[in-house]
Amino acid sequence: MSNSPLLTDSQWPKLLEYVAEAYNEVTLSRGFTLFKQQQVTALNVAEARRVQATVEEAETYKVALNLDAFSLSQCACPMQSSCKHLAAVMMELADRLGYPATQIMNAKLYLKRAADSNIDSSLKQLPNMDVQGWQHFLNQYASSIKPSYDQGIYVEALRQHLNNLNKVTPDFPAIDSLFFELHKWLFIFRKIKEQMTLTTSSYYTSSTIYRFSDEMLEWLKTKTDTVNPAASSQRIDQTLAYLREQMSEDSGQKYHDFGVYTALWKYWIAPFPEADRLLIQEQDNLMTLVEVSPSPSVSAARAYILLLQGKSDEAWDALATSSSFKELPAALFLTLLNQLAEAQQWAGLVTWLRKSAPFFNMRQNKKLEIYADFWKLAVSYEPHAEEQMWHIFEQFLPHSLAIIEAILYEQGKWKAWLEMQIVLGHDPFYHRVSVLQPIEKESPVLLLPYYHQAVDHYVSLKNRHDYKAATKLLKRLEKVYKKMKQPERWDIFFAGFVERYSRLRALQEELRKGKLMG
């Protein structure tokens, strides 16, 4: 190989990569013919690493080859770039400098063979690599898998390709094999995130990462019994470092790596005696990281580690004093609240629920519902906190309307619940019959104003359809009076009702059809 500064051994692969991307096989074949027939003449090196040449065909074409930026090279032919004349000049230059011109003509095939050779060599080294080395290897191994518009198709293509490694991967120690499998999951996870930042996210593309994340977390859970932290501390340290790096780059309300990080602790580290040492070590790592990269995920991770140590108040202070505190999404809080609940730290859970309330004051959605579930759980163990719960949900109105309604019903606070139905304009037909049955059984008297108001409303509409509705309600009202063992009150009410509306013949007919009148 030539030592000429025009083209070095490190630059040669870059030239081949450019050719493989910018040229098709037909153009390269025609360029090779021009080169072999010595139709490249007057090749000269100009200043600033520019090569000028002439290609003689039926006409003479001037070519300018830019060795610092191959894509800026130009030809005087109609194509102007990526033409057979430029290809011929690159081959002539390579030949003069001692590089094989045939590699340019077969650039794609050469690069593939080189990559396969590197992969074969790297496969043997996998057991000795750290996890960053694994990620680099996987990136090289999967380079032939091109992204698809449909992220789901892309994920499956990556899965199938990486599964082929199972046939050729050298024997790992059992624990390394498990961690290598984890990093295959993490690699695909990273590739999905990279594509999401490069393309416009649709429902189908954005949902892919949630589905894949759920699958990965379930896989982590199923492997709990096969983990031995004492024998895999090095791989755990490396994997945690990798995840910390990923979390430090999280942005745009997409904090998927935090979920993987907490799952790794929950299923693979925390259940074992070695966890105490690793927790102290991880706390130091996160304190250092949060100073240079205070992303919401890193801040939440620091709080999570403190919660695992049972330091509820310290965890909140660490979170609240972080520079990213105001950016924290509700989803991150849910993970932290769940840790408090699983650790049965009920007083701490109440405190966190109260302090995190502003992050959940939003339109009714799944996160607000889960937040409410944590409140209900906390109050079941800390009854004195119920007043705080109601105060917060009152502040959340109107977003919390459905939640307040549901809690009142679950707690059997029938009077308040029925008053709420009346205020909301609901009548008994709004609910399934089964919804009102517990009230009929426990406090039937509370239903009287609810039914009476609804009957008066339907009668006031003065049409046969609503008279039918009023009749149905009257039959249910009769049942309520019987439940109360006060049939005489029903008789007095109904007699007055019939007399009051005696002129409404259509109503009288519906009452007879309903067998309320003879």
Side-chain angles (χ1 to χ4, degrees):
M1 293 288 181
S2 172
N3 292 322
S4 170
L6 281 178
L7 204 59
T8 65
D9 288 352
S10 62
Q11 293 168 335
W12 177 248
K14 295 179 181 179
L15 173 61
L16 295 179
E17 289 172 5
Y18 165 71
V19 170
E21 182 178 345
Y23 287 79
N24 60 49
E25 293 180 1
V26 173
T27 300
L28 291 174
S29 178
R30 290 173 178 172
F32 187 73
T33 299
L34 293 175
F35 159 70
K36 292 297 289 183
Q37 293 177 351
Q38 300 183 345
Q39 291 177 264
V40 179
T41 61
L43 189 148
N44 297 301
V45 179
E47 59 182 19
R49 291 173 53 78
R50 304 292 191 272
V51 175
Q52 295 180 345
T54 302
V55 180
E56 301 287 349
E57 272 194 302
E59 297 184 30
T60 300
Y61 297 103
K62 298 289 185 181
V63 173
L65 179 62
N66 188 326
L67 295 176
D68 287 327
F70 298 117
S71 61
L72 299 180
S73 302
Q74 292 183 322
C75 178
C77 76
M79 285 189 65
Q80 298 184 350
S81 63
S82 302
C83 63
K84 61 183 179 181
H85 309 109
L86 272 165
V89 170
M90 285 188 283
M91 294 173 190
E92 178 67 25
L93 177 66
D95 185 65
R96 293 188 185 189
L97 296 178
Y99 291 92
T102 53
Q103 287 187 9
I104 294 179
M105 186 179 73
N106 300 294
K108 291 182 180 179
L109 179 61
Y110 174 80
L111 290 173
K112 184 179 185 304
R113 287 176 176 172
D116 290 343
S117 176
N118 290 336
I119 288 171
D120 290 341
S121 175
S122 297
L123 274 170
K124 300 175 183 177
Q125 299 300 320
L126 282 176
N128 301 319
M129 291 181 185
D130 61 16
V131 301
Q132 290 289 356
W134 287 350
Q135 289 290 327
H136 178 74
F137 166 80
L138 292 170
N139 200 57
Q140 183 182 36
Y141 180 76
S143 60
S144 61
I145 307 301
K146 300 304 178 185
S148 167
Y149 176 77
D150 186 328
Q151 286 274 38
I153 294 176
Y154 181 48
V155 167
E156 287 309 308
L158 286 171
R159 278 188 204 266
Q160 292 179 18
H161 193 64
L162 294 187
N163 283 342
N164 292 332
L165 283 172
N166 297 336
K167 306 171 185 176
V168 295
T169 301
D171 290 336
F172 278 118
I175 197 66
D176 275 4
S177 179
L178 179 66
F179 273 86
F180 185 67
E181 191 67 24
L182 169 60
H183 278 271
K184 287 198 288 186
W185 282 92
L186 293 174
F187 170 74
I188 298 176
F189 197 48
R190 176 165 59 83
K191 299 304 286 185
I192 301 173
K193 291 186 298 175
E194 288 175 0
Q195 290 308 308
M196 288 184 69
T197 61
L198 296 174
T199 60
T200 302
S201 179
S202 67
Y203 167 78
Y204 297 102
T205 57
S206 62
S207 64
T208 298
I209 195 166
Y210 290 102
R211 291 197 304 271
F212 185 83
S213 176
D214 289 344
E215 290 179 35
M216 178 164 45
L217 299 185
E218 184 61 29
W219 180 84
L220 280 165
K221 183 178 180 180
T222 62
K223 298 298 179 180
T224 302
D225 294 337
T226 62
V227 178
N228 181 356
S232 58
S233 60
Q234 185 178 30
R235 291 302 186 197
I236 286 177
D237 288 344
Q238 293 172 1
T239 301
L240 288 173
Y242 171 82
L243 288 171
R244 288 195 299 270
E245 180 183 352
Q246 294 297 304
M247 287 192 297
S248 70
E249 299 171 358
D250 279 349
S251 62
Q253 302 293 308
K254 305 297 183 186
Y255 306 113
H256 303 291
D257 290 287
F258 175 71
V260 181
Y261 176 84
T262 56
L264 185 68
W265 275 99
K266 180 177 180 179
Y267 300 123
W268 284 26
I269 306 175
F272 299 95
E274 293 79 7
D276 290 342
R277 176 185 63 82
L278 290 170
L279 282 168
I280 296 172
Q281 178 181 309
E282 186 67 4
Q283 185 177 339
D284 292 339
N285 290 330
L286 288 168
M287 285 183 67
T288 301
L289 181 59
V290 80
E291 292 176 0
V292 296
S293 180
S295 75
S297 287
V298 172
S299 298
R302 186 183 174 201
Y304 181 78
I305 294 301
L306 289 167
L307 288 178
L308 286 177
Q309 295 173 291
K311 301 176 181 178
S312 171
D313 293 338
E314 192 175 334
W316 178 265
D317 291 341
L319 195 64
T321 56
S322 67
S323 59
S324 59
F325 181 64
K326 293 182 179 179
E327 302 173 39
L328 291 172
L332 291 186
F333 281 100
L334 291 178
T335 301
L336 301 173
L337 295 173
N338 188 64
Q339 172 55 33
L340 286 162
E342 290 189 346
Q344 298 184 10
Q345 296 182 34
W346 306 120
L349 179 58
V350 169
T351 300
W352 272 70
L353 286 167
R354 177 171 50 80
K355 290 182 176 180
S356 65
F359 293 88
F360 293 92
N361 190 3
M362 61 184 74
R363 298 171 97 184
Q364 174 73 7
N365 61 24
K366 190 64 178 176
K367 295 181 183 66
L368 181 53
E369 292 174 11
I370 298 173
Y371 173 77
D373 288 339
F374 279 122
W375 259 118
K376 289 185 282 186
L377 178 62
V379 166
S380 69
Y381 289 95
E382 299 281 335
H384 64 85
E386 183 171 355
E387 185 177 347
Q388 297 178 56
M389 177 187 73
W390 286 120
H391 177 68
I392 285 172
F393 286 134
E394 286 171 7
Q395 290 183 321
F396 282 6
L397 287 169
H399 305 322
S400 59
L401 198 60
I403 287 173
I404 292 174
E405 182 181 1
I407 295 176
L408 288 173
Y409 187 87
E410 290 170 12
Q411 293 183 344
K413 295 182 177 179
W414 307 128
K415 185 175 186 297
W417 184 82
L418 285 166
E419 288 172 350
M420 192 172 185
Q421 304 311 304
I422 293 172
V423 170
L424 293 173
H426 297 163
D427 65 38
F429 288 133
Y430 179 81
H431 315 283
R432 295 190 302 272
V433 174
S434 59
V435 171
L436 298 177
Q437 282 177 342
I439 309 177
E440 287 185 5
K441 181 179 180 181
E442 296 176 22
S443 303
V445 67
L446 296 177
L447 286 170
L448 294 180
Y450 195 36
Y451 280 114
H452 279 295
Q453 178 175 292
V455 169
D456 289 341
H457 168 70
Y458 281 110
V459 172
S460 69
L461 297 177
K462 295 185 178 180
N463 64 72
R464 187 171 290 274
H465 177 269
D466 293 306
Y467 291 157
K468 289 180 179 179
T471 301
K472 290 180 181 178
L473 287 174
L474 285 166
K475 294 176 73 172
R476 287 165 67 172
L477 187 56
E478 181 183 19
K479 182 180 177 183
V480 170
Y481 277 109
K482 288 180 179 178
K483 284 274 187 181
M484 295 167 55
K485 298 181 179 180
Q486 297 180 7
E488 66 283 354
R489 285 186 61 186
W490 161 254
D491 293 337
I492 294 170
F493 159 73
F494 188 67
F497 177 85
V498 172
E499 182 177 354
R500 186 163 66 253
Y501 297 115
S502 60
R503 296 184 178 182
L504 300 179
R505 294 184 179 179
L507 175 60
Q508 301 287 319
E509 289 178 12
E510 292 302 324
L511 294 175
R512 292 189 186 93
K513 289 179 182 178
K515 298 181 180 179
L516 288 171
M517 288 176 58

